[in-house]
Amino acid sequence: MAAELGYFVTEKKASVRDLQSTILHLTGLDARQLKVPYQGLDQRLIGPADEDHLLEGVLA
């Protein structure tokens, strides 16, 4: 059995960005549209790239 988060994950890898995106989804927020103005730019919690994935095992 392997943990899903950590430095030495062997299977079912998940990043912190994936976990944050999943938590926001469960609260009814869209992680890609949630933006905060910071130093003149719109920053997103999950970062600038669209590399987040929902963790299906958490949603079940």
Side-chain angles (χ1 to χ4, degrees):
M1 180 172 203
E4 293 181 353
L5 291 172
Y7 289 111
F8 304 108
V9 177
T10 57
E11 56 188 45
K12 295 184 181 179
K13 285 187 171 186
S15 67
V16 174
R17 180 176 292 141
D18 297 337
L19 183 61
Q20 290 173 342
S21 179
T22 302
I23 291 170
L24 288 171
H25 176 75
L26 290 172
T27 59
L29 299 171
D30 186 5
R32 294 183 179 166
Q33 293 185 5
L34 182 64
K35 298 176 183 175
V36 177
Y38 178 72
Q39 293 185 351
L41 297 173
D42 287 337
Q43 300 289 326
R44 295 189 303 178
L45 180 65
I46 59 170
D50 289 333
E51 299 173 354
D52 61 316
H53 301 78
L54 292 178
L55 302 176
E56 299 296 330
V58 175
L59 298 176

